[in-house]
Amino acid sequence: MPDSDTGTPETPQRSRRAWRPWLLRLAAATASGFVFYLSFAPRSLWWLAPIAFAGLGLVLRGRRMWGGLGYGFAFGLGLYIPLLTWLQDFLGAEVGPTPWLALSAALALYLGIGTALCTFAARLPGGPVWMAMIMIATETPRSWWPLGGFAWGRVAFSQPEGAFLPLASIGGAPLVGFAVVLTGFSLAALIARLRRRTWRPLLTPAIGVALPVVAGLALWPTIGTAAQTGSLTVATVQGNAPNIGLALEDEGAILRANHLAQNARLHQEIASGQVSKPDLVVWPETAVAAAGDDPGVDEAVNSIGVPALVGVLDYAGPQRRNSVVVWNPGTGPGESYSKRQLVPFGEYVPAREIASLVTPFVDSTKDIQPGTTPSVLNVAGIRVAAPICYEIAYDYVAREGVDDGAQLIVLPTNNAWYGESEMSYQQLAMARLRAVEHSRSVVVSATSGVSAIVAPDGSIMQSTSEFTAASLVGRVPLRQTTTLSDRLGAWTEYVLVGVALVASVAGMVQSRRTRRTRAKEKRATVVE
């Protein structure tokens, strides 16, 4: 059979050679995705993230739309399949790997769509800038759609430390992610030009590599940690839980007993002088299930004699709510905040008929009702933002609390479902990013770990191990400053998405014009 380009016969050896570049690019894209995964917690390898996007950028050079889609999808699979293995710890053999793999593929598809659009934007002057915006813009729709979306694995969440983290105080997670991807894609452009020994246009990609890093490092001195409105001694209660995955659903009594027991141990440590008496005690998410008052929790709170924030699976209304309740000594439960950003298929089922095809547990589960008010509570004489577990992945929840006057962020969470996995560390990385974004201390109180006290600069002051019963007691600064990120709010994200859409359209128009010009030149050559 003749070669379509040369008209010469195509030999088996020639056919094999034609496949090699495609396979090499596919392998490189998948490997780059895995390198990106390695940049996430619990590893302190934040600098691998831009290297991963540099690898992806090199793969995308010269590709067309469908090639970009495929290579981006492979990059996404290399990232999400290992990043989300904790889902399999949760689901176990009863459900199998189908939901884990399906979710990984759905998230990877978003990256594939992004890289497909990047093949158009790459033709514009300053291509790495527009490509980076497009990649970060894909994080917005996939956090909400389909079936409720899933915000895990955003680029910024790989940066709980390092050169890019201070940018969170300027533009939050979107700006941090943009800086990482811009550095990587600019590095790819720089490498490509060096390989061609094209020296003159090196300045632009070199600036793209250096500027985000230099900007982040220059901002570090502005990240404040000093107390502005006093300080507060905070204690966490990590009662521990059995490591049984999905079966934990039926072990509410054990969770309650474990946390009452750990609260009693904390009381003994305070009474013996081993630790300071706290001003506030924070229990984890769904530590107790109650339909109002709970005499056991009353006794626990009264024993220490200070207010507590207690995670309650609340049965008081017609539907269950996942709430954080202010529990005061002597008077019991007071104001509360109910989780608004619920976990799809975990706390509610958005498409029961579809879900029933992959799991037998849908018919026996009841949806949790989302809350309707901002995540801010008055407790211990201060205002506290209290996003619950999964909500820390969403920008608006903590931001609204801080905008409403919160001086401290607390994060009650229950990660016992996910075994001894990386999930808790991935979530802690998000909390560290939020600390810098809002210039607030963050107190993470987990059922089975990892609990932590995080300073406003994202550093970990204290932390626990997984699947242990433990408490932390530490003094945190209270702050009231408003970062530029808080003042800009969601506008950083909106601008990135808007510019990404414009760049995609402009790239398509440019690509069409280029094809027309080449077609005219080809016809002119034929005529001559």
Side-chain angles (χ1 to χ4, degrees):
M1 181 177 178
D3 187 298
S4 59
D5 293 328
T6 66
T8 59
E10 184 177 288
T11 65
Q13 183 179 5
R14 187 180 182 87
S15 178
R16 285 194 297 271
R17 284 200 302 268
W19 278 93
R20 286 174 187 170
W22 185 86
L23 290 174
L24 288 174
R25 285 192 293 267
L26 187 66
T30 306
S32 295
F34 185 76
V35 170
F36 185 29
Y37 153 71
L38 293 176
S39 70
F40 283 82
R43 293 160 295 278
S44 299
L45 301 175
W46 59 271
W47 46 271
L48 282 178
I51 293 175
F53 280 98
L56 178 62
L58 289 171
V59 169
L60 292 177
R61 290 192 69 80
R63 299 306 102 204
R64 295 185 178 181
M65 183 186 72
W66 291 111
L69 176 66
Y71 295 130
F73 182 70
F75 177 87
L77 291 180
L79 163 65
Y80 289 117
I81 288 177
L83 186 74
L84 302 179
T85 50
W86 45 266
L87 278 175
Q88 195 54 33
D89 292 322
F90 166 57
L91 297 169
E94 297 89 346
V95 178
T98 301
W100 160 47
L101 296 176
L103 177 59
S104 298
L107 298 178
L109 183 58
Y110 271 103
L111 288 177
I113 293 171
T115 49
L117 295 175
C118 282
T119 62
F120 296 106
R123 296 176 168 85
L124 301 174
V129 176
W130 319 122
M131 293 168 67
M133 286 188 175
I134 289 170
M135 295 305 293
I136 298 304
T138 64
E139 295 181 345
T140 296
R142 65 103 159 167
S143 296
W144 302 100
W145 188 87
L147 306 176
F150 196 69
W152 218 267
R154 295 170 65 184
V155 176
F157 297 156
S158 68
Q159 304 296 305
E161 54 190 304
F164 300 103
L165 177 59
L167 295 170
S169 67
I170 304 299
L175 182 60
V176 173
F178 169 71
V180 171
V181 182
L182 173 60
T183 302
F185 282 164
S186 297
L187 180 59
L190 185 62
I191 291 171
R193 294 184 183 186
L194 287 171
R195 288 174 60 188
R196 294 200 307 266
R197 298 184 181 181
T198 309
W199 306 110
R200 177 179 289 182
L202 292 181
L203 181 61
T204 300
I207 292 174
V209 172
L211 184 59
V213 176
V214 171
L217 293 174
L219 283 171
W220 264 120
T222 70
I223 306 301
T225 59
Q228 295 176 324
T229 56
S231 56
L232 197 77
T233 301
V234 182
T236 64
V237 175
Q238 180 177 306
N240 204 11
N243 185 3
I244 53 177
L246 194 59
L248 190 64
E249 175 76 21
D250 301 320
E251 302 298 339
I254 293 178
L255 286 181
R256 177 180 178 276
N258 286 356
H259 286 83
L260 290 173
Q262 182 56 36
N263 194 91
R265 286 190 286 270
L266 174 61
H267 169 58
Q268 292 173 358
E269 292 174 359
I270 295 168
S272 65
Q274 296 180 52
V275 298
S276 301
K277 183 176 180 178
D279 302 304
L280 173 67
V281 177
V282 183
W283 285 36
E285 176 189 25
T286 60
V288 297
D293 201 357
D294 183 312
V297 179
D298 279 337
E299 183 179 348
V301 173
N302 291 339
S303 67
I304 296 180
V306 300
L309 291 173
V310 180
V312 176
L313 189 57
D314 188 357
Y315 289 90
Q319 290 183 296
R320 299 186 301 170
R321 290 181 183 268
N322 184 347
S323 302
V324 178
V325 179
V326 176
W327 218 289
N328 292 300
T331 59
E335 64 178 286
S336 64
Y337 163 70
S338 295
K339 189 175 185 179
R340 289 184 292 167
Q341 194 64 49
L342 302 177
V343 181
F345 301 101
E347 294 173 310
Y348 77 104
V349 181
R352 286 184 176 270
E353 292 183 1
I354 296 175
S356 64
L357 300 176
V358 296
T359 171
F361 300 102
V362 170
D363 294 336
S364 62
T365 60
K366 294 182 179 179
D367 289 348
I368 290 177
Q369 181 73 14
T372 57
T373 58
S375 63
V376 65
L377 297 167
N378 296 294
V379 62
I382 66 168
R383 287 175 74 76
V384 172
I388 301 174
C389 192
Y390 177 64
E391 291 185 313
I392 200 66
Y394 286 82
D395 299 342
Y396 77 96
V397 183
R399 181 198 299 137
E400 288 183 357
V402 171
D403 287 345
D404 204 7
Q407 302 153 276
L408 172 70
I409 299 173
V410 299
L411 176 62
T413 183
N414 181 1
N415 298 332
W417 307 91
Y418 308 106
E420 295 183 18
S421 67
E422 297 181 354
M423 187 272 187
S424 290
Y425 297 96
Q426 293 170 9
Q427 188 181 70
L428 177 57
M430 301 178 202
R432 297 174 66 185
L433 178 84
R434 301 303 183 197
V436 176
E437 178 181 357
H438 303 296
S439 192
R440 297 292 188 273
S441 299
V442 180
V443 178
V444 182
S445 183
T447 303
S448 58
V450 176
S451 299
I453 298 176
V454 180
D457 62 358
S459 61
I460 298 174
M461 302 167 67
Q462 299 181 49
S463 64
T464 65
S465 301
E466 289 186 298
F467 288 97
T468 58
S471 287
L472 301 174
V473 180
R475 196 155 186 85
V476 297
L478 302 176
R479 293 177 61 81
Q480 62 181 5
T481 190
T482 302
T483 65
L484 180 57
S485 177
D486 291 323
R487 293 193 291 272
L488 292 174
W491 279 106
T492 304
E493 180 181 8
Y494 296 158
V495 169
L496 281 169
V497 172
V499 174
L501 290 173
V502 171
S504 299
V505 173
M508 292 177 186
V509 172
Q510 177 66 29
S511 177
R512 187 174 182 181
R513 287 176 178 172
T514 301
R515 288 199 304 271
R516 285 180 175 178
T517 301
R518 289 176 178 173
K520 288 180 180 179
E521 291 174 351
K522 187 175 182 179
R523 285 196 298 269
T525 302
V526 171
V527 170
E528 292 175 1

